[in-house]
Amino acid sequence: MCADTTADVVIIGSGMAGALIAKELGRAGKKVLILEAGAELPADTNGYMRTFYNAYFKVPEIPYPPDVFTPTSSSDLNDLTDPGTVNAGRPTVMSLLPTNWQDPAKSYLIQKGPLPFASTYERINGGTSRHWLGTSLRNVPNDFVMRDKYGVFVDWPLRYDGSADKSLNLKQWYTKAERAIGVSADVADQTYLGVTFDQPYPMPKIPLSYLDTKLSEGLKGFSQDGTELKVRSTPAARNSQPYQDRRVCAGNTNCIPICPIQAKYDPSVTLAEAFRTGNVDILYRTVASDIVVGENGRVGGIKFVRYREDKGPRTEEGTAVGKLYVIAGNAIETPRLLLMSMNRKGVANSSGLVGKNLMDHPLYLAWALMPADKPVYPYRGPLSTAGIEDLRDGPFRKQRGAFRIEIGNEGWNFPIGDPQRTTMDFINGLNQSGLNSGSGGKPGPAVWGPQLVENLNRVLPRQFRLAFLIEQEPEESNRVALADAKDGLDLPRPEIHYDLSPYTRRGMAAAKRLATAIFNKLGATEFTQPAPGAPSEFPSPDNPAERIQFYGAGHLVGTYRMGTDKWKSVVDADQKAWDHDNLYLVGCGTFPTVATANPTLTLAALSLRTVDHIVKKVLN
Amino acid sequence: MTVITRRTVLTGAAAATAVGTVNVPVASAGDDKADLASFIDISVALTGIAQEKLAPDLDPINIKQAYFEQAQKDPAFDDLLARWRNRPAGAGAEVFFTQRDPVRYLARNIIIAWYLGGWCKTEVLESYDVPNPPPFPIPFTVINAAAYTQGWAWRVAQAHPMGYSELRFGYWADKPFALPVLIGSKK
């Protein structure tokens, strides 16, 4: 069955990049068709919330289809969905368990190692921004010029504000992006390391948490590499005032996986605005399978496959035809599509770089307990409201990965799944949390009643964690390829080759040292330890007897990089494929380096810059 | 890893744990109303949360009913009631924990329900009640969505379940309510 469609612009993917571009095209009077691989949103998100409440494993992907478990509430790992059976699969946190990460029946990604790629994503209306945190930092100016400034990596073809050619400066596009998604922040707090502002943020900052304030007080005068560690509020796409007809944040401490009141921006907001232009249409459960390139080098259409049920058969096939095409998958799904196109000869790949330079912010997680007389009252407020940003740049970047530090408001939930684990320890007389130690190395006894209250209240209000997001070195050997394993539509799944370079590992080791120094300065007791059997660990470069575990930050970056030389990059500064005049590749895959900010705001700024270029210079 | 030792505190406190101060009329198992009353008394003793917070007179969510029905399905339920009703004068919930038997695991499940909204299989709790327990985490079934949102673990942390807050913008900048406000004055 054929369902051919036409539009001015065909967009693949309805995440942040696809949504922002669709809306602006629609406003400019261009007819847009979006193909979204995953499901539409339900009429309201209460069903997602119920799924979340009822789930045992409250992982970032759990509220969303396709089901992570069958049923989604299962606590039995044998009930994990086989990704080979679903039509629009994706990696999940469950697929990263030691027993699962290299099992094709448990992991959508075919992970070839040596280390696991530890981040996940969604394929659904809104893309992975369904479960994002909302952090909306700008890159610092030196993030764009690592080669020029420090002699490592490559420079971006764009600058923060330092280019004489003003069209190559991203600063004004950051401002537009902050308005488009609604960022709450304070200019004074965000003016550091060369970042400057011409205009205020659209909303005042989200207040610091009680924890943030206590850490700020406790770290007063504490320096690292000559830089004082200042706790700064984090810009967030969370409402501090009513904005875009959405409510203010109520501090549900659940930005990931789902804000119950949509105080956090997600792309469905922009998609709704796009649809209201009357020019934008979308096909859900529609998987792009082949980009067709004509003899003139221009893309002539994108073949797609449709399905109705997550595990059901193909129901339709067709070709979407437009004047211009925008691939807005993520840094794994976009190269997957490019590589599988044209009978696997590939598209946009004369540089040979499609799929290469896969990056993340490998995340070093450290957790501790504040002194008994200094509770910090976690499990309250947005998941994170502040960070330490001043170490994102410095001469040390010649030798090791820089990082920012995210302060978490959710106690030890990220590290060990608390308060569940500690509660179970006290109820059952166990000590997996480290907080129920008895004499002689044995766990403390099982308790109940007032003693249980006392034990829990003595420790839970003192928990906190720090997450260090390390800049990963781009390496061509870290790459996305096509696996032999197939998904439910018989399309090849992504195969991942991944490792952390010595440069990146030195950044992780520096994070580990600093975490311990911070805890010491605060008088806190550190409990950080790698999870038993975790595949995402490596020996510390400081001391090979010590293991360092890393986590994924969910930042998929780099696999179709932008540049100024068509043989050394896949797209130009406008995110247009060098090889095809009417093909644009957007999203974090175009970042030449992962930089030191969470990537979403930069993705949004680049998307708005690209659609402006398309509207004014290409389709006009 | 740093070890926090508080064995002495626990030893002293366990001996002094005499909870469950409500007098219960003697009733036979199977009398639903009396059984529910006993179940609530037992729950107060096991959780350390005051009855007016755990099962208030005006109780629109009425989560106690879900836990009561869950507990009734357990083969050890009658034994649990009997042990409570026949406990020595002045004794509290320690009567459930004297031996490795199904009553112990039912009592623990009742705490898990109130604190985390979950319910474990008896054999799972039994399997963790050994010196070298299986790998973590301990699997359980979330009883229902309300059970999660009513979990006491978060309130005892002076917080709220993740994804379920009834507080307003900016509350997180300040100290939370004091613990007695949240769990009730009677322990």
Side-chain angles (χ1 to χ4, degrees), chain A residues 494-526:
Chain A
E495 178 178 288
I496 308 293
H497 301 258
Y498 192 71
D499 202 353
L500 301 182
S501 73
Y503 179 98
T504 309
R505 293 181 186 211
R506 286 194 294 272
M508 294 285 291
K512 183 175 189 292
R513 289 194 300 271
L514 181 57
T516 301
I518 288 173
F519 294 149
N520 287 339
K521 168 70 177 168
L522 294 167
T525 306
E526 183 166 8

Side-chain angles (χ1 to χ4, degrees), chain A residues 319-334:
Chain A
T319 303
V321 177
K323 296 172 187 159
L324 192 141
Y325 300 83
V326 178
I327 313 300
N330 56 43
I332 290 179
E333 291 297 327
T334 290

Side-chain angles (χ1 to χ4, degrees), chain A residues 347-414:
Chain A
V347 166
N349 198 21
S350 60
S351 67
L353 288 170
V354 168
K356 295 180 179 174
N357 295 300
L358 176 65
M359 288 171 275
D360 192 358
H361 285 118
L363 185 151
Y364 178 71
L365 188 64
W367 57 102
L369 208 61
M370 285 294 277
D373 61 345
K374 293 182 179 168
V376 287
Y377 302 114
Y379 302 101
R380 304 184 315 137
L383 285 175
S384 178
T385 39
I388 295 170
E389 313 293 343
D390 297 75
L391 298 171
R392 287 169 52 190
D393 191 36
F396 54 81
R397 293 178 92 175
K398 293 174 184 169
Q399 280 90 36
R400 61 132 175 113
F403 48 75
R404 67 175 293 257
I405 309 172
E406 175 193 280
I407 299 167
N409 287 329
E410 84 296 18
W412 291 3
N413 187 265
F414 184 172

